[in-house]
Amino acid sequence: MTKTRKNYVLRVSCPSIRGVTADITSFLSSRGCNIRDSAQFDDESTNHYFMRITFRPEEGQSLEDLKKEFQHLVEKYKMEYEFFDERAKRKVILMVSRFGHCLNDLLYRWSIGALPIDIVGVISNHLDFQKVVEGHCIPYHHIKVTKENKAEAEAAQMRIVRETGAELIVLARYMQILSDEMCQQMSGRIINIHHSFLPSFKGGSPYKQAFDRGVKLIGATSHFVTADLDEGPIIEQDIVRITHAQSPNDYVSLGRDVESQVLARAIHAYVHGRVFMNEKKTIVFPASPDSYASESIG
């Protein structure tokens, strides 16, 4: 049986300064690490540098040792950085209301190991998917939300996040607006999905509105959640082409498919450390080799 080899990831962002790429790669090489994949981007518009490297420690280096020895470069370049094991599974809370297509898609991908996440709970303001979730042996938390109890409901949601140690909240078609306070507490750690008709078709029945206007492209957008509703930094988008022959119900069905795919890709990019915040936008690096492989093949 082939022994699984460790793969580590280093994420770096810092002010744009000459020499940072050379210093980082030299640091890893000098400590017996073999670089497998590297991506970097120097954004002249924000004067900021971003880098993601996957590497293998070939002389027994631990992440803790590498972190300690890396500090001199952190101070030199004023870096924000993270080392992590690529195999480590991020703890995730899913939130859903009454549309289950994204939830069911994520549960399937999670069950076959296609997403390296540990779903530590599902929170909903309805009971529709309780049996489905508990059938996967995942805790289901029903927290009703009204105008009168919104603050108490969010406090209960945040208690679950803290108690489970969740690193990421995914709004898998959770149809409630989060408060500014919750958005700030979880800044950069809440991902949402919605159709890409905004701002043209707001409010109820956006697909019916799009049908009435003869729209030929249906899309979806996944983004970080901020206090500005549906205007957070975009992580992933996609479209599907349609024709005049499709009905409003076709629009909805096709829209659900693209929403599910886009949300899964956004989560995949996040948990692999490929997403960097860059003011009001994001840097999203390509996936590393083998990162899409499922634990269960077939």
Side-chain angles (χ1 to χ4, degrees):
M1 182 179 292
T2 303
K3 184 178 179 181
T4 301
R5 303 179 68 181
K6 291 182 179 178
N7 290 319
Y8 292 159
V9 177
L10 170 61
R11 290 166 36 91
V12 166
S13 64
C14 65
S16 180
I17 303 175
R18 186 179 61 199
V20 60
T21 303
D23 276 356
I24 291 173
T25 54
S26 295
F27 168 84
L28 293 173
S29 177
S30 67
R31 285 152 181 82
C33 298
N34 182 28
I35 295 173
R36 300 184 62 241
D37 180 64
S38 177
Q40 55 275 333
F41 179 66
D42 192 359
D43 189 346
E44 294 183 356
S45 68
T46 60
N47 195 38
H48 220 72
Y49 174 87
F50 304 88
M51 187 178 201
R52 180 186 182 274
I53 293 180
T54 61
F55 63 94
R56 283 178 177 158
E58 297 186 340
E59 296 179 7
Q61 297 81 0
S62 70
L63 281 177
E64 290 306 315
D65 288 340
L66 290 170
K67 289 176 186 178
K68 290 177 184 177
E69 296 170 7
F70 194 65
Q71 289 306 307
H72 71 286
L73 291 182
V74 173
E75 295 171 4
K76 177 180 179 180
Y77 292 106
K78 298 181 174 58
M79 291 178 180
E80 293 182 10
Y81 79 102
E82 179 186 14
F83 281 98
F84 64 92
D85 189 331
E86 198 172 39
R87 298 171 302 174
K89 294 186 177 181
R90 307 267 182 166
K91 293 183 177 181
V92 176
I93 288 283
L94 305 182
M95 297 179 68
V96 63
S97 290
R98 309 196 84 163
F99 298 104
H101 51 287
C102 290
L103 171 68
N104 282 295
D105 181 79
L106 294 176
L107 289 174
Y108 175 72
R109 293 174 191 268
W110 163 81
S111 70
I112 65 169
L115 283 175
I117 59 176
D118 180 11
I119 302 176
V120 294
V122 173
I123 298 173
S124 179
N125 53 331
H126 297 281
L127 290 167
D128 299 50
F129 303 108
Q130 183 174 11
K131 290 183 179 179
V132 171
V133 172
E134 292 179 346
H136 286 80
C137 299
I138 297 171
Y140 190 85
H141 306 275
H142 175 227
I143 301 176
K144 188 175 181 180
V145 181
T146 65
K147 291 181 179 180
E148 292 73 24
N149 81 334
K150 188 174 181 66
E152 292 80 4
E154 284 197 350
Q157 293 165 358
M158 288 305 300
R159 277 196 300 273
I160 294 168
V161 171
R162 290 191 297 271
E163 290 169 0
T164 59
E167 302 165 74
L168 176 69
I169 295 175
V170 175
L171 305 184
R173 293 306 305 268
Y174 181 68
M175 309 305 287
Q176 292 286 328
I177 298 173
L178 303 185
S179 69
D180 292 356
E181 182 181 357
M182 188 169 179
C183 292
Q184 291 168 7
Q185 284 186 56
M186 296 295 293
S187 178
R189 294 193 292 152
I190 307 177
I191 292 176
N192 189 29
I193 184 71
H194 61 73
H195 59 80
S196 287
F197 295 143
L198 296 175
S200 297
F201 306 121
K202 296 181 179 180
S205 304
Y207 289 104
K208 177 61 166 58
Q209 295 179 54
F211 172 82
D212 290 341
R213 287 290 302 275
V215 166
K216 298 299 185 287
L217 293 173
I218 288 177
T221 293
S222 186
H223 62 92
F224 286 113
V225 174
T226 65
D228 296 323
L229 183 63
D230 294 331
E231 295 185 16
I234 294 169
I235 304 170
E236 180 64 59
Q237 292 179 300
D238 205 352
I239 58 170
V240 59
R241 183 170 291 279
I242 54 178
T243 75
H244 62 277
Q246 262 82 59
S247 70
N249 288 336
D250 290 333
Y251 278 48
V252 173
S253 295
L254 292 167
R256 287 175 177 172
D257 283 345
V258 73
E259 285 174 11
S260 299
Q261 294 173 43
V262 167
L263 181 58
R265 292 205 298 264
I267 296 169
H268 186 279
Y270 181 92
V271 298
H272 279 96
R274 297 193 284 115
V275 183
F276 294 78
M277 298 283 279
N278 185 23
E279 296 186 357
K280 294 183 178 181
K281 54 186 178 180
T282 61
I283 304 299
V284 183
F285 286 128
S288 299
D290 293 328
S291 65
Y292 284 110
S294 302
E295 294 173 0
S296 175
I297 303 295

